[in-house]
Amino acid sequence: MTELDFIAALRALATQPSARGLSDDAAVLEFGTETLILTKDMMVEGVHWLPQQSLADVAWKLVAVNLSDLAAKGAEPVGVMLGYSLATNNAAFLTGLEEALTAFDVPLLGGDTVAVEKSRTFSLTALGRATHTPVPSRSGAQPGDHVWLCGSAGGAMMGFDAVSGLADADERPFTRPTPRLAEGRALAPHVTAMMDVSDGVLLDAWRMAKASGARFAIDSASVPIAAPESRRDEALRWGEDYALLFTAPSGADLPVPATRIGTVMEGGPEPLVLDTKIIDGPEGLGYQH
Amino acid sequence: MTELDFIAALRALATQPSARGLSDDAAVLEFGTETLILTKDMMVEGVHWLPQQSLADVAWKLVAVNLSDLAAKGAEPVGVMLGYSLATNNAAFLTGLEEALTAFDVPLLGGDTVAVEKSRTFSLTALGRATHTPVPSRSGAQPGDHVWLCGSAGGAMMGFDAVSGLADADERPFTRPTPRLAEGRALAPHVTAMMDVSDGVLLDAWRMAKASGARFAIDSASVPIAAPESRRDEALRWGEDYALLFTAPSGADLPVPATRIGTVMEGGPEPLVLDTKIIDGPEGLGYQH
C-alpha cells in the first residue's frame, strides 16, 4: 500500500468531512451546547526542523501551528495535549513550550512522554471552542466573492534562509510564528471560507478553490510579501507563514486589516488562475506533504 | 535536565491536577454543559511492541489503551485523533485501526501523518463525554472503602509469552486488549476512586492509595489471575491487562461483576500493605515508565 493509498483509506475511514486524510485541517464537532474544534499536528526530527535549531523553537512552533489551525476556524483555544519523545535537550523544549503557552494563553492539559533513542516525534492535539457557527470551512467560497489574505507570504522563507546562514534576515517568522487567533475570531462571522496558509499561498488557494468547487483568480502582484521583490515567485510558494486566506462577499466590511488578492469565479476544470494563466494541477505551487 | 526533572516540570506546567506529569491519566474539562475527557497515549517502535507483532495489533492496542483511560472515567468515547508515522506495513495498521474503531464504535475525527525513515511513533488522542459527574479520579478512596478489581491480571503476560514463543497461551489479551467501557460507565456512580490497570495491579494500587492519601491493604491471593498459580507474583506485577481498579463504600451494590481484593485504611507513611507486609516504595511492584 502506497502512502497516498493509505491516506486515501484513512480519509475514507474518517467521519469528518474536514479530516481531509488527516492533514492540517481541524475537526469540528458538536459537543453539548458548544462546538468543539480539534487539530493535531506532528513535528518529526529530520523533517520539520533544522539541526541547528533549538528545541525551544520546535516547541513554540508545535504549539503555534496547531493554534493556527484553530485560528482558521475562528476558535478560542481551550487547551493542548502533548506527545513528547524524551531524549536530550528537554530543558530547551520546556522553555519554548512554556513561552508559547504563556504567549497564546492556552493551558497544557496532559499528554504522554516516551523515552526514545532514535528519531524524535513530537505531537500536539489542540482543543478549541468555536466562537461563531457555522464554523468557517475551506469549502464555502462562492463565485463573486473576493479572495483575501490577512498577513503576508515569504517571511518564513527569509527566516529559514537566516537560520541556514544564507540571508541576513529576521529568523523569527520561521522560528517563532504567531497564529492569528484574534484575527480568525474577528473574521469568522464575515467569511465564506477560511484556512491558514501552511503550505504556500498559491497551493492553499488551489486547495480552497478545489474544496469549494470554484476557481480562484489570483493576482500575484497583489499578494503582500515579506521578502525582496526578486523572490516574489518563491515567496508565494513557500509555506509556514500562517497568514489567513479567506473569501468574503464583495461588499463585506472586514474587521481586521487584510489584502485582496483575487476573485472567486465559477468552477472550471482547474481551480486556479494565476495572473490570467490557468494553472495545470497543484505541482510546483507550494509545499506538498 | 534529567527525564524525571522534565516530567516534574511538565507536571508543574500542566493545569490539570490529573495530568500527573503527562502520564496515563485522562484530563477532565468542563465544556459548556458537558464534561470532556481527554487522553493521549503514544506507542513507539522498539519500546511498545515486539518486532514479530503485526501493525494491525499495534493499531488496535493504540485505540484500546486510550479508550481504557476513558473507561476509567466512566466516559463514553466521542472520537479519536491519530498521529501516524508513514513507512512500511501501512495496510496492516489500517486494518487493525478499522477493526478497533468498529469494535468500540468510535469515529476517527482527524489527525496528522508524516513520512519517516527511522523509528516510528504513533499517537492517539481520544475524546470522551463524561456520563457521570463528579468524574471518578484516582484520589477519592476513603478509609473503610473496599478495593475491587473488575477483570483479572496476568492475561497480557501470558499473551506476551505466547507471542514471544515462550508459552502456549492465548495471545489476544496482549495483542488485542479490550477497554472496559461499559463496566466503567456502570461503575462510575458507585466508586470513590477508579483507574485502569496499565502498569500492574500492585503498582497501580500503590499509586491510587498514594493519590488518595490512604493506605491500601491488598490480599494477593484474592486477586483473580489469568495465568498459572505458580506465576501469581509475576501476574500481579505485569501490566497491560486494562482491568478496572476501584474503591467503593463497604455496602455498595455494584452493577457489574468484580472481585474484592482489599481494604482502604487510614494513610500511613507507605501507601501499600501486601498480605500484612508494608511495602517499602513502588520499586518492583510493576512496570515503571
Side-chain angles (χ1 to χ4, degrees):
Chain A
M1 174 177 259
T2 68
E3 292 179 8
L4 285 178
D5 287 344
F6 177 78
I7 291 175
L10 273 184
R11 185 185 296 131
L13 201 55
T15 52
Q16 285 280 318
S18 66
R20 279 189 59 241
L22 298 108
S23 185
D24 57 354
D25 200 5
V28 178
L29 202 66
E30 298 305 316
F31 197 79
T33 51
E34 304 273 353
T35 302
L36 190 63
I37 315 288
L38 281 165
T39 178
K40 178 165 194 153
D41 263 340
M42 296 194 292
M43 292 181 70
V44 176
E45 190 169 8
V47 180
H48 290 105
W49 65 90
L50 296 167
Q52 63 267 42
Q53 275 192 274
S54 163
L55 283 193
D57 291 347
V58 174
W60 175 285
K61 202 155 177 173
L62 183 65
V63 175
V65 299
N66 276 285
L67 296 189
S68 181
D69 285 330
L70 298 186
K73 299 294 182 194
E76 167 191 36
V78 169
V80 300
M81 300 283 286
L82 173 69
Y84 186 78
S85 296
L86 278 163
T88 53
N89 299 319
N90 298 323
F93 187 93
L94 193 70
T95 300
L97 178 67
E98 188 163 10
E99 287 171 352
L101 296 175
T102 304
F104 309 131
D105 192 23
V106 58
L108 175 67
L109 300 175
D112 194 18
T113 59
V114 180
V116 299
E117 287 179 14
K118 294 185 206 160
S119 172
R120 299 170 82 172
T121 298
F122 305 126
S123 70
L124 197 82
T125 302
L127 188 73
R129 184 194 316 268
T131 60
H132 181 267
T133 54
V135 173
S137 75
R138 300 175 176 197
S139 60
Q142 300 294 324
D145 285 353
H146 293 176
V147 183
W148 297 85
L149 194 70
C150 173
S152 60
M157 172 183 79
M158 296 306 295
F160 176 88
D161 282 3
V163 173
S164 306
L166 301 173
D168 183 17
D170 184 3
E171 296 183 355
R172 293 180 66 89
F174 176 72
T175 59
R176 299 281 175 134
T178 300
R180 297 180 177 272
L181 289 161
E183 294 92 332
R185 283 199 295 272
L187 285 167
H190 300 271
V191 304
T192 49
M194 185 157 60
M195 67 189 289
D196 66 323
V197 179
S198 52
D199 295 337
V201 168
L202 297 184
L203 179 56
D204 286 335
W206 186 93
R207 289 171 173 164
M208 182 184 277
K210 189 167 163 55
S212 298
R215 174 180 268 186
F216 285 9
I218 301 291
D219 171 25
S220 66
S222 67
V223 178
I225 60 170
E229 188 56 38
S230 60
R231 300 189 66 181
R232 173 172 291 274
D233 278 1
E234 277 174 277
L236 300 189
R237 288 163 173 81
W238 230 92
E240 309 203 18
D241 281 306
Y242 305 104
L244 293 174
L245 176 71
F246 63 96
T247 56
S250 62
D253 184 17
L254 300 178
V256 296
T259 306
R260 184 178 169 196
I261 64 169
T263 304
V264 182
M265 307 192 302
E266 294 286 346
E270 292 300 339
L272 189 66
V273 178
L274 182 64
D275 303 331
T276 73
K277 180 171 178 289
I278 292 175
I279 299 296
D280 189 26
E283 297 72 26
L285 288 183
Y287 179 77
Q288 303 252 28
H289 297 277
Chain B
M1 175 178 257
T2 68
E3 293 179 7
L4 285 177
D5 287 344
F6 176 78
I7 291 175
L10 273 185
R11 184 185 297 131
L13 200 55
T15 51
Q16 285 279 321
S18 66
R20 280 188 59 241
L22 300 106
S23 185
D24 57 353
D25 200 5
V28 178
L29 201 66
E30 298 307 315
F31 196 79
T33 52
E34 304 272 353
T35 301
L36 189 64
I37 315 289
L38 281 166
T39 178
K40 177 165 194 154
D41 264 340
M42 296 194 291
M43 292 181 69
V44 176
E45 190 169 9
V47 180
H48 289 105
W49 65 90
L50 295 167
Q52 63 267 43
Q53 276 193 274
S54 163
L55 283 194
D57 292 346
V58 174
W60 174 286
K61 201 157 178 174
L62 183 65
V63 175
V65 300
N66 276 284
L67 295 189
S68 182
D69 285 329
L70 297 186
K73 299 293 182 195
E76 167 191 35
V78 169
V80 300
M81 301 284 287
L82 173 70
Y84 186 77
S85 296
L86 278 164
T88 53
N89 299 319
N90 297 323
F93 187 94
L94 192 70
T95 300
L97 178 66
E98 188 163 9
E99 286 170 354
L101 296 176
T102 303
F104 308 131
D105 192 22
V106 57
L108 175 66
L109 300 175
D112 194 18
T113 59
V114 180
V116 299
E117 287 178 14
K118 295 186 205 161
S119 172
R120 299 170 82 173
T121 298
F122 305 126
S123 71
L124 197 82
T125 302
L127 188 72
R129 183 193 317 268
T131 60
H132 181 267
T133 53
V135 172
S137 75
R138 300 175 176 198
S139 58
Q142 298 295 325
D145 285 353
H146 293 175
V147 183
W148 297 84
L149 194 70
C150 172
S152 60
M157 172 182 79
M158 296 307 294
F160 177 87
D161 282 3
V163 173
S164 306
L166 300 173
D168 182 16
D170 184 4
E171 295 183 355
R172 293 181 64 90
F174 176 71
T175 59
R176 299 279 175 135
T178 300
R180 297 180 176 272
L181 288 161
E183 294 91 331
R185 283 198 294 271
L187 285 167
H190 301 272
V191 304
T192 49
M194 184 157 61
M195 67 188 290
D196 67 322
V197 179
S198 52
D199 294 336
V201 168
L202 297 183
L203 179 56
D204 286 335
W206 186 92
R207 289 170 173 163
M208 182 183 277
K210 189 167 164 54
S212 299
R215 173 181 269 186
F216 285 9
I218 301 292
D219 171 26
S220 66
S222 68
V223 178
I225 61 171
E229 188 57 37
S230 60
R231 299 188 65 181
R232 173 172 291 275
D233 278 1
E234 277 175 277
L236 301 189
R237 289 164 174 80
W238 231 91
E240 308 202 20
D241 282 306
Y242 305 102
L244 293 175
L245 176 71
F246 64 95
T247 55
S250 61
D253 184 18
L254 300 178
V256 296
T259 306
R260 184 179 169 194
I261 64 169
T263 304
V264 182
M265 307 192 302
E266 294 286 347
E270 291 300 338
L272 189 66
V273 178
L274 183 63
D275 304 329
T276 73
K277 180 171 177 290
I278 293 175
I279 299 296
D280 190 25
E283 297 74 25
L285 289 182
Y287 179 75
Q288 304 251 28
H289 299 275

